[in-house]
Amino acid sequence: PGTPYIRVTPSMLKQKTGRKGKDAWTVLGGRVYNITPYLPFHPGGEPELLRCAGRDGTRLFNEVHPWVNWEGMLAACLVGIYVTEEEEGN
Ligand code: HEM
């Protein structure tokens, strides 16, 4: 069976700040990633990476390093897809 990818809304994402022992999640290109295991390996450091935690990091990411292949790098960290509250019936 495949990985059970989930649908993530903005209110769910907002909890995943990477602070207070919580996981850090971000959105890149409409996909949601758990970036917690990558934090110690980010060449730009943890604080920089955490700036995209709990929110859509697409624009910030592309401002800093549009050449980085996040899809390939973070394939194992994929959580699911980003949906609006409306799409989720909230
Ligand atoms: C460097 C990955 C998010 C800031 C890098 C590099 C990779 C990477 C592979 C090395 C690039 C190279 O040398 O060509 C990622 C991934 C991210 C992410 C997978 C998201 C999941 C961010 C964010 C910021 C950031 C949100 C800032 C707000 C930086 C900086 C460097 C860097 C400043 C340059 C470090 C240096 O060369 O001294 N990142 N990054 N990154 N990243 Fe990220």
Side-chain angles (χ1 to χ4, degrees):
T3 315
Y5 294 122
I6 63 169
R7 294 160 63 84
V8 178
T9 60
S11 58
M12 290 165 70
L13 181 66
K14 249 194 323 206
Q15 314 300 315
K16 309 294 185 177
T17 56
R19 303 177 201 282
K20 299 181 181 172
K22 294 185 215 171
D23 279 348
W25 292 10
T26 193
V27 173
L28 294 169
R31 295 175 192 188
V32 184
Y33 294 94
N34 181 352
I35 54 174
T36 315
Y38 181 63
L39 281 166
F41 302 103
H42 180 233
E46 292 199 20
E48 286 284 85
L49 181 53
L50 279 174
R51 288 173 59 195
C52 72
R55 62 192 195 90
D56 191 327
T58 309
R59 200 180 60 180
L60 191 52
F61 182 98
N62 285 321
E63 277 171 14
V64 185
H65 39 40
W67 58 89
V68 172
N69 175 18
W70 50 267
E71 251 185 303
M73 289 184 57
L74 298 175
C77 300
L78 184 62
V79 169
I81 62 161
Y82 196 42
V83 297
T84 63
E85 306 289 346
E86 290 74 22
E87 283 172 303
E88 211 47 15
N90 294 342

